[in-house]
mmCIF file of all heavy atoms in Angstrom:
data_model
loop_
_atom_site.group_PDB
_atom_site.id
_atom_site.type_symbol
_atom_site.label_atom_id
_atom_site.label_comp_id
_atom_site.label_asym_id
_atom_site.label_seq_id
_atom_site.Cartn_x
_atom_site.Cartn_y
_atom_site.Cartn_z
ATOM 1 N N SER A 235 3.086 -18.628 4.335
ATOM 2 C CA SER A 235 4.120 -19.363 3.605
ATOM 3 C C SER A 235 5.245 -18.461 3.102
ATOM 4 O O SER A 235 6.216 -18.948 2.535
ATOM 5 C CB SER A 235 3.491 -20.102 2.418
ATOM 6 O OG SER A 235 2.890 -19.187 1.522
ATOM 7 N N LEU A 236 5.134 -17.153 3.305
ATOM 8 C CA LEU A 236 6.156 -16.232 2.817
ATOM 9 C C LEU A 236 7.329 -16.148 3.788
ATOM 10 O O LEU A 236 7.149 -16.223 5.002
ATOM 11 C CB LEU A 236 5.568 -14.827 2.636
ATOM 12 C CG LEU A 236 4.529 -14.631 1.534
ATOM 13 C CD1 LEU A 236 4.025 -13.188 1.560
ATOM 14 C CD2 LEU A 236 5.105 -14.966 0.165
ATOM 15 N N PRO A 237 8.539 -15.933 3.291
ATOM 16 C CA PRO A 237 9.676 -15.664 4.181
ATOM 17 C C PRO A 237 9.477 -14.336 4.913
ATOM 18 O O PRO A 237 8.744 -13.457 4.432
ATOM 19 C CB PRO A 237 10.872 -15.584 3.221
ATOM 20 C CG PRO A 237 10.409 -16.204 1.942
ATOM 21 C CD PRO A 237 8.938 -15.983 1.876
ATOM 22 N N ASP A 238 10.133 -14.186 6.043
ATOM 23 C CA ASP A 238 9.998 -12.953 6.831
ATOM 24 C C ASP A 238 10.334 -11.716 6.006
ATOM 25 O O ASP A 238 9.693 -10.675 6.146
ATOM 26 C CB ASP A 238 10.921 -13.014 8.052
ATOM 27 C CG ASP A 238 10.520 -14.102 9.033
ATOM 28 O OD1 ASP A 238 9.399 -14.630 8.895
ATOM 29 O OD2 ASP A 238 11.324 -14.432 9.922
ATOM 30 N N THR A 239 11.342 -11.839 5.137
ATOM 31 C CA THR A 239 11.813 -10.681 4.380
ATOM 32 C C THR A 239 10.782 -10.160 3.381
ATOM 33 O O THR A 239 10.949 -9.063 2.849
ATOM 34 C CB THR A 239 13.101 -11.029 3.619
ATOM 35 O OG1 THR A 239 12.855 -12.190 2.809
ATOM 36 C CG2 THR A 239 14.239 -11.311 4.589
ATOM 37 N N GLN A 240 9.727 -10.944 3.125
ATOM 38 C CA GLN A 240 8.744 -10.549 2.123
ATOM 39 C C GLN A 240 7.414 -10.081 2.707
ATOM 40 O O GLN A 240 6.517 -9.685 1.967
ATOM 41 C CB GLN A 240 8.494 -11.713 1.158
ATOM 42 C CG GLN A 240 9.722 -12.074 0.329
ATOM 43 C CD GLN A 240 9.500 -13.314 -0.508
ATOM 44 O OE1 GLN A 240 8.384 -13.780 -0.677
ATOM 45 N NE2 GLN A 240 10.581 -13.862 -1.046
ATOM 46 N N LEU A 241 7.282 -10.117 4.025
ATOM 47 C CA LEU A 241 6.004 -9.739 4.631
ATOM 48 C C LEU A 241 5.665 -8.280 4.368
ATOM 49 O O LEU A 241 4.513 -7.933 4.080
ATOM 50 C CB LEU A 241 6.033 -10.007 6.140
ATOM 51 C CG LEU A 241 6.191 -11.477 6.554
ATOM 52 C CD1 LEU A 241 6.120 -11.611 8.072
ATOM 53 C CD2 LEU A 241 5.116 -12.340 5.908
ATOM 54 N N ARG A 242 6.666 -7.402 4.465
ATOM 55 C CA ARG A 242 6.401 -5.980 4.228
ATOM 56 C C ARG A 242 6.054 -5.727 2.765
ATOM 57 O O ARG A 242 5.304 -4.803 2.457
ATOM 58 C CB ARG A 242 7.613 -5.158 4.659
ATOM 59 C CG ARG A 242 7.860 -5.181 6.172
ATOM 60 C CD ARG A 242 9.150 -4.464 6.573
ATOM 61 N NE ARG A 242 9.371 -4.512 8.008
ATOM 62 C CZ ARG A 242 9.949 -5.534 8.646
ATOM 63 N NH1 ARG A 242 10.362 -6.588 7.954
ATOM 64 N NH2 ARG A 242 10.103 -5.504 9.958
ATOM 65 N N LEU A 243 6.587 -6.555 1.866
ATOM 66 C CA LEU A 243 6.259 -6.407 0.442
ATOM 67 C C LEU A 243 4.802 -6.763 0.174
ATOM 68 O O LEU A 243 4.160 -6.180 -0.703
ATOM 69 C CB LEU A 243 7.182 -7.281 -0.403
ATOM 70 C CG LEU A 243 8.669 -6.897 -0.395
ATOM 71 C CD1 LEU A 243 9.487 -7.919 -1.166
ATOM 72 C CD2 LEU A 243 8.863 -5.499 -0.984
ATOM 73 N N LEU A 244 4.271 -7.725 0.908
ATOM 74 C CA LEU A 244 2.850 -8.058 0.784
ATOM 75 C C LEU A 244 1.995 -6.850 1.145
ATOM 76 O O LEU A 244 1.046 -6.500 0.432
ATOM 77 C CB LEU A 244 2.517 -9.239 1.695
ATOM 78 C CG LEU A 244 1.083 -9.752 1.639
ATOM 79 C CD1 LEU A 244 0.835 -10.553 0.379
ATOM 80 C CD2 LEU A 244 0.776 -10.615 2.865
ATOM 81 N N ALA A 245 2.343 -6.195 2.245
ATOM 82 C CA ALA A 245 1.618 -4.984 2.655
ATOM 83 C C ALA A 245 1.786 -3.871 1.631
ATOM 84 O O ALA A 245 0.850 -3.097 1.374
ATOM 85 C CB ALA A 245 2.106 -4.527 4.033
ATOM 86 N N LEU A 246 2.972 -3.775 1.033
ATOM 87 C CA LEU A 246 3.213 -2.782 -0.016
ATOM 88 C C LEU A 246 2.257 -3.011 -1.188
ATOM 89 O O LEU A 246 1.692 -2.053 -1.736
ATOM 90 C CB LEU A 246 4.662 -2.860 -0.490
ATOM 91 C CG LEU A 246 5.053 -1.959 -1.665
ATOM 92 C CD1 LEU A 246 4.959 -0.483 -1.279
ATOM 93 C CD2 LEU A 246 6.465 -2.289 -2.155
ATOM 94 N N GLY A 247 2.075 -4.255 -1.587
ATOM 95 C CA GLY A 247 1.154 -4.555 -2.677
ATOM 96 C C GLY A 247 -0.272 -4.162 -2.351
ATOM 97 O O GLY A 247 -0.994 -3.620 -3.206
ATOM 98 N N MET A 248 -0.708 -4.429 -1.121
ATOM 99 C CA MET A 248 -2.061 -4.032 -0.704
ATOM 100 C C MET A 248 -2.254 -2.525 -0.832
ATOM 101 O O MET A 248 -3.246 -2.045 -1.405
ATOM 102 C CB MET A 248 -2.299 -4.452 0.753
ATOM 103 C CG MET A 248 -2.353 -5.940 0.989
ATOM 104 S SD MET A 248 -2.546 -6.257 2.767
ATOM 105 C CE MET A 248 -2.466 -8.052 2.773
ATOM 106 N N ASP A 249 -1.307 -1.778 -0.310
ATOM 107 C CA ASP A 249 -1.430 -0.316 -0.350
ATOM 108 C C ASP A 249 -1.328 0.221 -1.766
ATOM 109 O O ASP A 249 -2.036 1.168 -2.131
ATOM 110 C CB ASP A 249 -0.349 0.325 0.523
ATOM 111 C CG ASP A 249 -0.722 0.338 2.000
ATOM 112 O OD1 ASP A 249 -1.857 -0.044 2.332
ATOM 113 O OD2 ASP A 249 0.122 0.737 2.818
ATOM 114 N N ALA A 250 -0.462 -0.374 -2.578
ATOM 115 C CA ALA A 250 -0.307 0.099 -3.956
ATOM 116 C C ALA A 250 -1.638 0.019 -4.691
ATOM 117 O O ALA A 250 -2.027 0.948 -5.413
ATOM 118 C CB ALA A 250 0.761 -0.722 -4.676
ATOM 119 N N TYR A 251 -2.347 -1.088 -4.521
ATOM 120 C CA TYR A 251 -3.644 -1.232 -5.185
ATOM 121 C C TYR A 251 -4.650 -0.220 -4.638
ATOM 122 O O TYR A 251 -5.393 0.419 -5.400
ATOM 123 C CB TYR A 251 -4.179 -2.652 -5.001
ATOM 124 C CG TYR A 251 -5.488 -2.877 -5.720
ATOM 125 C CD1 TYR A 251 -5.505 -3.217 -7.070
ATOM 126 C CD2 TYR A 251 -6.708 -2.728 -5.066
ATOM 127 C CE1 TYR A 251 -6.701 -3.408 -7.748
ATOM 128 C CE2 TYR A 251 -7.908 -2.913 -5.731
ATOM 129 C CZ TYR A 251 -7.895 -3.251 -7.075
ATOM 130 O OH TYR A 251 -9.097 -3.421 -7.737
ATOM 131 N N ASN A 252 -4.674 -0.052 -3.335
ATOM 132 C CA ASN A 252 -5.705 0.791 -2.719
ATOM 133 C C ASN A 252 -5.491 2.286 -2.921
ATOM 134 O O ASN A 252 -6.456 3.053 -2.917
ATOM 135 C CB ASN A 252 -5.806 0.475 -1.220
ATOM 136 C CG ASN A 252 -6.543 -0.828 -0.962
ATOM 137 O OD1 ASN A 252 -7.457 -1.201 -1.693
ATOM 138 N ND2 ASN A 252 -6.140 -1.542 0.076
ATOM 139 N N VAL A 253 -4.250 2.728 -3.092
ATOM 140 C CA VAL A 253 -4.013 4.167 -3.275
ATOM 141 C C VAL A 253 -4.006 4.571 -4.743
ATOM 142 O O VAL A 253 -3.979 5.755 -5.056
ATOM 143 C CB VAL A 253 -2.683 4.632 -2.627
ATOM 144 C CG1 VAL A 253 -2.665 4.321 -1.145
ATOM 145 C CG2 VAL A 253 -1.478 4.022 -3.328
ATOM 146 N N LEU A 254 -4.053 3.591 -5.640
ATOM 147 C CA LEU A 254 -3.914 3.894 -7.064
ATOM 148 C C LEU A 254 -4.947 4.907 -7.544
ATOM 149 O O LEU A 254 -4.635 5.796 -8.333
ATOM 150 C CB LEU A 254 -4.023 2.601 -7.878
ATOM 151 C CG LEU A 254 -3.629 2.682 -9.352
ATOM 152 C CD1 LEU A 254 -2.172 3.097 -9.500
ATOM 153 C CD2 LEU A 254 -3.861 1.338 -10.042
ATOM 154 N N GLY A 255 -6.160 4.785 -7.057
ATOM 155 C CA GLY A 255 -7.205 5.715 -7.479
ATOM 156 C C GLY A 255 -7.272 6.984 -6.653
ATOM 157 O O GLY A 255 -8.157 7.827 -6.871
ATOM 158 N N GLN A 256 -6.343 7.149 -5.692
ATOM 159 C CA GLN A 256 -6.383 8.312 -4.808
ATOM 160 C C GLN A 256 -5.131 9.180 -4.899
ATOM 161 O O GLN A 256 -4.902 10.030 -4.039
ATOM 162 C CB GLN A 256 -6.551 7.839 -3.350
ATOM 163 C CG GLN A 256 -7.733 6.938 -3.117
ATOM 164 C CD GLN A 256 -7.850 6.533 -1.666
ATOM 165 O OE1 GLN A 256 -7.554 7.307 -0.755
ATOM 166 N NE2 GLN A 256 -8.278 5.304 -1.421
ATOM 167 N N LEU A 257 -4.319 8.975 -5.929
ATOM 168 C CA LEU A 257 -3.029 9.656 -5.999
ATOM 169 C C LEU A 257 -3.169 11.170 -5.991
ATOM 170 O O LEU A 257 -2.369 11.880 -5.371
ATOM 171 C CB LEU A 257 -2.269 9.200 -7.245
ATOM 172 C CG LEU A 257 -1.834 7.725 -7.232
ATOM 173 C CD1 LEU A 257 -1.216 7.333 -8.561
ATOM 174 C CD2 LEU A 257 -0.853 7.470 -6.097
ATOM 175 N N ASN A 258 -4.176 11.679 -6.677
ATOM 176 C CA ASN A 258 -4.339 13.137 -6.750
ATOM 177 C C ASN A 258 -4.783 13.742 -5.421
ATOM 178 O O ASN A 258 -4.608 14.936 -5.191
ATOM 179 C CB ASN A 258 -5.358 13.497 -7.835
ATOM 180 C CG ASN A 258 -4.850 13.197 -9.228
ATOM 181 O OD1 ASN A 258 -3.651 13.217 -9.474
ATOM 182 N ND2 ASN A 258 -5.755 12.899 -10.148
ATOM 183 N N GLN A 259 -5.371 12.925 -4.538
ATOM 184 C CA GLN A 259 -5.847 13.439 -3.257
ATOM 185 C C GLN A 259 -4.825 13.317 -2.131
ATOM 186 O O GLN A 259 -4.970 13.938 -1.075
ATOM 187 C CB GLN A 259 -7.122 12.680 -2.829
ATOM 188 C CG GLN A 259 -8.354 12.977 -3.678
ATOM 189 C CD GLN A 259 -8.362 12.223 -4.980
ATOM 190 O OE1 GLN A 259 -8.064 11.036 -4.999
ATOM 191 N NE2 GLN A 259 -8.689 12.883 -6.074
ATOM 192 N N LEU A 260 -3.770 12.506 -2.347
ATOM 193 C CA LEU A 260 -2.847 12.211 -1.253
ATOM 194 C C LEU A 260 -2.043 13.416 -0.792
ATOM 195 O O LEU A 260 -1.542 13.433 0.331
ATOM 196 C CB LEU A 260 -1.879 11.092 -1.666
ATOM 197 C CG LEU A 260 -2.471 9.685 -1.714
ATOM 198 C CD1 LEU A 260 -1.420 8.692 -2.190
ATOM 199 C CD2 LEU A 260 -2.991 9.270 -0.346
ATOM 200 N N ALA A 261 -1.922 14.432 -1.638
ATOM 201 C CA ALA A 261 -1.172 15.628 -1.241
ATOM 202 C C ALA A 261 -1.884 16.369 -0.114
ATOM 203 O O ALA A 261 -1.238 17.038 0.706
ATOM 204 C CB ALA A 261 -0.969 16.549 -2.432
ATOM 205 N N THR A 262 -3.210 16.247 -0.058
ATOM 206 C CA THR A 262 -3.987 16.961 0.969
ATOM 207 C C THR A 262 -4.690 16.025 1.940
ATOM 208 O O THR A 262 -4.982 16.411 3.069
ATOM 209 C CB THR A 262 -5.047 17.863 0.307
ATOM 210 O OG1 THR A 262 -5.860 17.057 -0.573
ATOM 211 C CG2 THR A 262 -4.379 18.963 -0.509
ATOM 212 N N THR A 263 -4.956 14.791 1.526
ATOM 213 C CA THR A 263 -5.682 13.848 2.367
ATOM 214 C C THR A 263 -4.888 12.558 2.499
ATOM 215 O O THR A 263 -4.894 11.728 1.583
ATOM 216 C CB THR A 263 -7.069 13.528 1.768
ATOM 217 O OG1 THR A 263 -7.764 14.743 1.514
ATOM 218 C CG2 THR A 263 -7.883 12.665 2.726
ATOM 219 N N PRO A 264 -4.181 12.343 3.612
ATOM 220 C CA PRO A 264 -3.375 11.127 3.776
ATOM 221 C C PRO A 264 -4.249 9.874 3.778
ATOM 222 O O PRO A 264 -5.432 9.916 4.112
ATOM 223 C CB PRO A 264 -2.699 11.336 5.135
ATOM 224 C CG PRO A 264 -2.735 12.808 5.366
ATOM 225 C CD PRO A 264 -4.008 13.277 4.735
ATOM 226 N N TYR A 265 -3.633 8.767 3.405
ATOM 227 C CA TYR A 265 -4.301 7.469 3.394
ATOM 228 C C TYR A 265 -3.719 6.610 4.507
ATOM 229 O O TYR A 265 -2.497 6.457 4.618
ATOM 230 C CB TYR A 265 -4.103 6.786 2.042
ATOM 231 C CG TYR A 265 -4.638 5.374 1.989
ATOM 232 C CD1 TYR A 265 -5.993 5.125 1.847
ATOM 233 C CD2 TYR A 265 -3.771 4.276 2.092
ATOM 234 C CE1 TYR A 265 -6.492 3.825 1.801
ATOM 235 C CE2 TYR A 265 -4.259 2.969 2.044
ATOM 236 C CZ TYR A 265 -5.617 2.760 1.899
ATOM 237 O OH TYR A 265 -6.111 1.476 1.861
ATOM 238 N N ASN A 266 -4.580 6.045 5.333
ATOM 239 C CA ASN A 266 -4.131 5.200 6.438
ATOM 240 C C ASN A 266 -3.934 3.772 5.926
ATOM 241 O O ASN A 266 -4.875 2.972 5.889
ATOM 242 C CB ASN A 266 -5.145 5.229 7.580
ATOM 243 C CG ASN A 266 -5.275 6.608 8.185
ATOM 244 O OD1 ASN A 266 -4.331 7.395 8.142
ATOM 245 N ND2 ASN A 266 -6.427 6.912 8.741
#
């Protein structure tokens, strides 16, 4: 039901939640 312009924002929200607890590790261990 989302407009095309907002699809990438949905993915942004998913990643924001999932990387929140890994911020200190992202400098050495990338997150897919």
Side-chain angles (χ1 to χ4, degrees):
S235 61
L236 292 177
D238 295 347
T239 55
Q240 295 174 13
L241 296 183
R242 293 175 181 84
L243 294 175
L244 183 75
L246 175 65
M248 293 177 184
D249 279 354
Y251 183 84
N252 284 327
V253 302
L254 192 61
Q256 306 181 36
L257 293 174
N258 292 332
Q259 290 80 44
L260 286 178
T262 55
T263 307
Y265 174 78
N266 296 333

